[in-house]
């Protein structure tokens, strides 16, 4: 018995030591995160090096034209990736604050959180530059047909992931929610919900993205990828194509129809004034496109002054509506107040400089956005990309205060209903009874 007891004692001592040794081997989450960041950085340096070497192999005359074409195919998806990153930041702030964005957008319990949105953005950040690097490398090394297939495969893969009917690529319900909302935007045959016109407003900031997508798909359909067939501006997919202003104006037309539908349902005149705001973008877009279809003297003496007038009107009207209607300055109180004290809440909540910055930057970027809507000003693709990215940042700021304003309205409405119910119950209690005791 003594030997048996002595033989079991060492095993008893070793059992609790196993989890400790296993935990000691596992790296900390912070170390894993730093390792992922390092790999991501090395991957970015590698792509930049391969892309730069590929571009330097080309002749100087061909280099700018080729870069412009490559940028046209990949800049829409790069901007969409940026918008997904920013949307994840929006959701993170809402999750930390007192605002229930799931209730505002009528989301189910399986909706994507900010972490899952960032995972989507991470994969997009990896895949899109890889495809662009492969395009540059293959074309510079003479594999023109393989290079031309890179953007085609990428666009097809994105489309297939969106419509994939199984719950593999993230939540099927989330993808269905996005596609259903897009369908309701294009065909506003039902009552307009907050998520409908919220997404439609975001689409107006991405009108240049859709314009570039149209030109990219046009060149893919006509087999003009990695060729010089599209260099002529007056060609089917050229820079003077009538399809460019049509695609640019579509998001504003969709939003205008939503406002008309909203007026039909609610009879609120505010919806008509909002529709008027979106209608002011139409002359900005089409008057700019007329430069390539009228005589130079007619453009200088007649159409350009009209374009300038319509551009100023659209910018000022949109700025006024953002500040007074979409945001409602009296409600700037809650969005940056987190549930737990934090540095962000301390720096941003209730600070006047935040409001001055948002209003000032919104005004400047509203004026700059006119540059994007004007086809005759879009010569430098890097400048256009920068202004489009800044418009994304403006919309990113806009989201905070627009959602806050909607949450404040919903809270006020629910509080009013509760007060009405309590007053009715109080009246019933105080009412005289007909029964005799």
């Amino acid at each position: 018995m003594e030997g048996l007891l002595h033989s079991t004692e060492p095993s008893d001592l070793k059992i609790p030591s196993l989890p400790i040794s296993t935990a000691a081997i596992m790296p900390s989450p912070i170390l894993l995160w730093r390792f992922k960041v390092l790999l991501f950085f090395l991957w970015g340096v590698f792509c930049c090096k391969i892309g730069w070497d590929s571009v330097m192999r080309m002749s100087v005359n061909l280099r700018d034209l080729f870069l412009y074409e490559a940028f046209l195919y990949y800049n829409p998806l790069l901007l969409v990736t940026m918008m997904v990153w920013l949307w994840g930041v929006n959701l993170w702030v809402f999750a930390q604050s007192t605002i229930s964005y799931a209730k505002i957008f009528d989301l189910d319990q399986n909706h994507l959180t900010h972490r899952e949105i960032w995972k989507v953005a991470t994969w997009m950040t990896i895949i899109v530059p890889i495809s662009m690097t492969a395009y540059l490398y293959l074309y510079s090394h003479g594999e023109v047909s393989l290079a031309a297939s890179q953007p085609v495969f990428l666009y097809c893969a994105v489309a297939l992931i969106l419509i994939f009917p199984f719950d593999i690529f993230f939540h099927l319900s989330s993808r269905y929610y996005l596609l259903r909302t897009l369908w309701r935007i294009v065909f506003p045959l039902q009552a307009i919900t907050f998520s409908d016109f919220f997404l439609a407003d975001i689409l107006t900031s991405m009108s240049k993205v859709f314009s570039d997508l149209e030109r990219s798909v046009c060149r893919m359909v006509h087999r003009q990828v990695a060729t010089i067939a599209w260099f002529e501006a007056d060609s089917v997919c050229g820079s003077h194509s009538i399809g460019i202003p049509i695609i640019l104006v579509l998001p504003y037309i969709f939003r205008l129809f939503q406002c008309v539908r909203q007026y039909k349902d609610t009879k609120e005149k505010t919806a008509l004034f909002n529709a008027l705001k979106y209608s002011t973008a139409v002359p900005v877009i089409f008057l700019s496109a007329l430069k390539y279809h009228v005589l130079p003297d007619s453009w200088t003496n007649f159409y350009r002054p009209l374009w300038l007038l319509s551009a100023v009107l659209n910018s000022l009207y949109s700025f006024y509506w953002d500040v007074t209607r979409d945001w409602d300055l009296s409600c700037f109180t809650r969005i940056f107040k987190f549930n737990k004290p934090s540095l962000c809440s301390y720096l941003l909540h209730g600070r006047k400089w935040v409001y001055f910055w948002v209003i000032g930057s919104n005004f400047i970027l509203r004026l700059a956005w006119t540059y994007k809507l004007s086809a005759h000003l879009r010569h430098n693709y890097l400048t256009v990309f920068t202004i489009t990215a800044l418009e994304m940042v403006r919309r990113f700021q806009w989201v905070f205060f627009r959602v806050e304003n909607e949450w404040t309205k919903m809270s006020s409405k629910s509080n009013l209903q509760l007060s009405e119910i309590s007053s009715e119950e109080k009246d019933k209690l105080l009412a005289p009874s007909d029964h005799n005791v």
Side-chain angles (χ1 to χ4, degrees), residues 75-119:
N75 116 85
L77 294 180
L78 290 173
L79 290 170
V80 171
T81 303
M82 175 185 173
M83 198 66 185
V84 175
W85 276 111
L86 294 177
W87 176 242
V89 176
N90 286 133
L91 295 187
W92 175 77
V93 173
F94 296 148
Q96 303 300 318
S97 67
T98 57
I99 292 178
S100 175
Y101 67 89
K103 184 177 180 180
I104 293 176
F105 294 104
D106 194 21
L107 301 175
D108 58 21
Q109 295 180 352
N110 295 324
H111 68 273
L112 296 179
T113 63
H114 62 276
R115 295 182 183 275
E116 293 170 316
I117 293 293
W118 284 338
K119 287 182 182 180

Side-chain angles (χ1 to χ4, degrees), residues 207-215 242-252 285:
S207 57
K208 180 58 172 61
V209 173
F210 298 130
S211 174
D212 287 345
L213 282 175
E214 182 272 334
R215 297 176 70 190
I242 191 62
I244 295 176
I246 292 177
I247 299 299
L248 282 173
V249 81
L250 278 180
Y252 296 90
I285 295 171

Side-chain angles (χ1 to χ4, degrees), residues 184-201:
R184 291 165 62 95
I185 290 172
V186 176
F187 302 101
L189 304 178
Q190 62 290 311
I192 307 300
T193 63
F194 179 78
S195 57
D196 293 340
F197 64 74
F198 180 85
L199 181 58
D201 274 330

Side-chain angles (χ1 to χ4, degrees), residues 27 229 305 376 383 387:
H376 74 283
T383 303
I387 292 179

Side-chain angles (χ1 to χ4, degrees), residues 330-391:
S330 63
C331 297
F332 276 18
T333 55
R334 299 180 58 177
I335 187 66
F336 294 116
K337 186 176 182 180
F338 290 6
N339 293 325
K340 298 179 181 180
S342 64
L343 180 62
C344 291
S345 180
Y346 174 76
L347 293 176
L348 301 176
H349 176 62
R351 304 294 182 179
K352 291 184 178 180
W353 71 266
V354 175
Y355 309 141
F356 288 124
W357 163 261
V358 170
I359 294 173
S361 61
N362 188 77
F363 177 74
I364 294 173
L365 294 177
R366 274 293 188 184
L367 294 174
W369 183 235
T370 303
Y371 182 96
K372 288 300 307 91
L373 297 180
S374 304
H376 74 283
L377 297 178
R378 294 184 283 116
H379 303 304
N380 190 327
Y381 58 89
L382 291 178
T383 303
V384 170
F385 179 83
T386 302
I387 292 179
T388 307
L390 289 175
E391 169 62 15

Side-chain angles (χ1 to χ4, degrees), residues 218-248:
C218 177
R219 293 176 185 182
M220 293 175 188
V221 171
H222 290 85
R223 298 184 179 182
Q224 296 180 2
V225 181
T227 68
I228 60 173
W230 57 269
F231 285 174
E232 297 181 3
D234 294 327
S235 64
V236 177
C237 306
S239 58
H240 298 177
S241 171
I242 191 62
I244 295 176
I246 292 177
I247 299 299
L248 282 173

